[in-house]
Amino acid sequence: MSDFLSTYGFLIATMLQASLLGLSLYFPLQAGQLSLASPGFYALGGYAAAILLTNPAFGGLRDALGNGMFPLTWLAGALIGGLMGVVVGVPALRLRGIYLALATIAFVEILRVVSLNLTVTGGAVGIFGIPQTFGFQDRWQYIFLFGPLLALTLLFARQLERSRVGRALRALREDELAADAMGVPPTQYKVLAFVIGAVLAGLVGAMSAPFLNTWNAKQGTFDSSITILAAVLIGGSRNIWGPVVGGALLAAIPEVLRFLADWRLVLNGLVLVVASLYLPQGIVGALERLGRPRPPQRPAPQGPAAAAKVNP
Amino acid sequence: MELSALLQNLLNGLAIGSVYAIFALGYTLVFSILGIINFAHGAVFTLGAYFTYTLVVGQFENNGLFKGVNLFPGGSPLSGHPVTFALATLVGAALAGLVAVLIERVAFRPMRSRGADPLLALVSSLGVALVIVNLIQLLVGAEIYNFPSDAYGEVRPALSFTLGGNVVIIRTVQVVIFAVSLVMLAVLGFVIGRTKIGKALRAVAENPTTASLLGISVDRFIVITFFLSGFVGGLAGTLVGTAFGVAGPYFGVAYGLKGLAVIVLGGLGSIPGAVLGGLVIGLAEAFVPADYSAYKDAVAFALLFIILLVRPQGLLGRSAIQKV
């Protein structure tokens, strides 16, 4: 068992972490909002934890709290994610479809440039030597953090889906105007879904800073936005298991393809192309469809009007 | 700000802004026809620069699988003279255009025929971008390649004069960039606004179904659009590469993102909008004070964020009619 964990444990922890990030993007998608802001909140949460755990200014606090410091960083990451989620979400969620996606890309890029230039974030070098959570000896032990968090998140997502709020979110995704007419206030619910995703991303960031041991501006980039979005779409964007499967899969592919050495990144791109062409509903969606045949989809409208109203 | 500095910034801003403009035109052409954003456009930009570099130099001595290969043992026939360099630039851009056509074939057409979610087109075009960027890295390595410095008589500035005790320098390459961009915009404006092809393109953009009923081959015009898009993208890549050196396979990624800011600022799908957006962002970047130059890359995105909140349809865009 310990052999297995020392060989594959890190990979499993990485897969769990990627699944969590996939879910952070899934929540706004549930309300029909394509947000690419997750890596921004993830980066913020990670910086919050990294600063709390290494900055001399918090030395006294660290001495006083001991291991209690770690849950505090999680709280800080989640709070910062949530706060920024409100700050960014309230104005940005007036936008739809591709416009919202672009606004969230802009948010991530601005954040990246700012963190690259501040002293407190360590500039281009970033923050390094972040102490391990609870003094973990091996990286695979992070399974004990990411695993339960993933289980809790899935439980929460399932309960949310079954609740009144979840139904309101789904109604918004299917048809915002109709939902509005039925008395579902779009803005409140959209912001709520966005903030839930932001809290989760911030929390995962705070847990990931010690996991990766170092934190820098590379953690929140356009590339990571795309990786997460690709994970969700490849896994399936309409079922809570989609982001989990997609995240785990995309995190595993580079490891599994390691023998291909330099060609694996090229192959990574090909996987994205092939999956988006042949698995339009994602892997989970395709599996679901195997179970119950559905009528063919109505062709989507073409032209700018179609993109102005992207309904993932 | 002193007058000389003001003028220098203005000139620098116009030069880089015009490159942004023609690069962004590639996005906006595709968007106006298909209503999707081709995220591989930044990779096409990179490819344009590499194609031209291959034509004028023909060897990549630093790294990658092509290391040591020399296409022109006696030196490239296209190097050493501004006219042949211009020719190489055009051929490079045309090759980039062909790649864009190929991208449409692989990543967009199969989806279009199925009427898939536009989001998936975004992911597949990103996949293509990943493939292109990493292939470049495999083949020629991640190093910076510089165009021969005599490409545009770079040694000598086109114009330099003293103003209030300070020297203002206009680099030859800046003049070339600005001129090429103006010509390119004029040509595209003419093609789209005045020719039969342009009329058909606009018809396809307005309503593909009606256009096809009127006997316009929609697929053919989509191919033309992608070629034009790749051509201007590749051209912009070579122009920027000439000015700053081709900085590796990821050269176009930052421009790809900035191009998005440009077209949204100007108005998605609007050609004059792309030009205006490019110039605004180029000028805004040029006027970032030296003390804050590290934040220069955030300027485009700050403008993007603000315009989205204030006027989502962009400076010159029509407001999209919301379905009721």
Side-chain angles (χ1 to χ4, degrees), chain B residues 179-199:
Chain B
V180 170
S181 309
L182 279 184
V183 170
M184 209 51 234
L185 293 173
V187 168
L188 265 182
F190 177 77
V191 168
I192 290 168
R194 296 266 180 274
T195 65
K196 226 174 157 180
I197 294 181
K199 208 168 192 179

Side-chain angles (χ1 to χ4, degrees), chain A residues 94 117 177 276-277 302 307, chain B residues 35 112 114 119 124 294 309 323:
Chain A
R94 284 168 34 209
N117 288 294
L177 279 166
S276 48
L277 289 181
Q302 286 191 331
Chain B
R112 205 167 67 242
R114 246 198 349 240
L119 268 187
S124 73
L309 300 184
K323 187 190 69 167

Side-chain angles (χ1 to χ4, degrees), chain B residues 11-324:
Chain B
L11 293 167
N12 293 346
L14 284 177
I16 192 72
S18 57
V19 176
Y20 288 162
I22 62 165
F23 171 71
L25 269 181
Y27 271 129
T28 240
L29 278 172
V30 169
F31 186 86
S32 62
I33 300 279
L34 289 182
I36 47 171
I37 285 179
N38 174 15
F39 269 88
H41 196 52
V44 171
F45 172 95
T46 310
L47 269 183
Y50 274 92
F51 282 143
T52 310
Y53 183 85
T54 311
L55 288 170
V56 291
V57 180
Q59 55 178 333
F60 294 88
E61 65 281 354
N62 290 336
N63 217 331
L65 297 175
F66 279 2
K67 184 179 176 181
V69 175
N70 189 351
L71 290 178
F72 309 109
S76 165
L78 291 173
S79 73
H81 195 281
V83 173
T84 55
F85 188 81
L87 185 68
T89 306
L90 290 178
V91 176
L95 289 172
L98 290 180
V99 173
V101 170
L102 193 71
I103 292 174
E104 193 269 329
R105 241 326 176 353
V106 173
F108 293 117
R109 185 168 298 189
M111 275 184 199
R112 205 167 67 242
S113 53
R114 246 198 349 240
D117 191 331
L119 268 187
L120 290 169
L122 193 151
V123 173
S124 73
S125 64
L126 278 162
V128 171
L130 260 181
V131 171
I132 293 176
V133 163
N134 288 297
L135 270 181
I136 295 175
Q137 182 154 8
L138 269 177
L139 297 180
V140 303
E143 281 77 10
I144 295 177
Y145 289 95
N146 285 306
F147 283 99
S149 62
D150 58 351
Y152 287 126
E154 188 49 29
V155 198
R156 173 171 63 89
L159 189 65
S160 79
F161 54 91
T162 322
L163 188 76
N166 294 304
V167 187
V168 176
I169 298 172
I170 306 169
R171 298 168 66 201
T172 310
V173 66
Q174 290 181 312
V175 177
V176 171
I177 285 178
F178 193 61
V180 170
S181 309
L182 279 184
V183 170
M184 209 51 234
L185 293 173
V187 168
L188 265 182
F190 177 77
V191 168
I192 290 168
R194 296 266 180 274
T195 65
K196 226 174 157 180
I197 294 181
K199 208 168 192 179
L201 278 177
R202 279 178 288 143
V204 175
E206 201 60 47
N207 189 331
T209 320
T210 316
S212 72
L213 288 175
L214 291 171
I216 295 169
S217 163
V218 173
D219 275 351
R220 208 175 91 213
F221 281 97
I222 287 173
V223 167
I224 292 176
T225 306
F226 269 86
F227 180 79
L228 286 175
S229 153
F231 187 87
V232 291
L235 188 66
T238 302
L239 290 177
V240 174
T242 324
F244 306 116
V246 183
Y250 294 92
F251 182 45
V253 173
Y255 285 88
L257 282 176
K258 254 181 215 169
L260 289 177
V262 167
I263 54 169
V264 175
L265 189 69
L268 270 177
S270 155
I271 288 174
V275 177
L276 182 67
L279 292 179
V280 167
I281 288 180
L283 285 171
E285 285 184 350
F287 280 96
V288 172
D291 291 350
Y292 297 96
S293 64
Y295 289 96
K296 210 168 85 175
D297 282 336
V299 168
F301 300 102
L303 284 175
L304 166 65
F305 204 77
I306 293 167
I307 195 82
L308 279 172
L309 300 184
V310 181
R311 195 180 148 82
Q313 71 270 36
L315 295 172
L316 298 182
R318 300 183 281 185
S319 68
I321 300 155
Q322 290 295 337
K323 187 190 69 167
V324 179

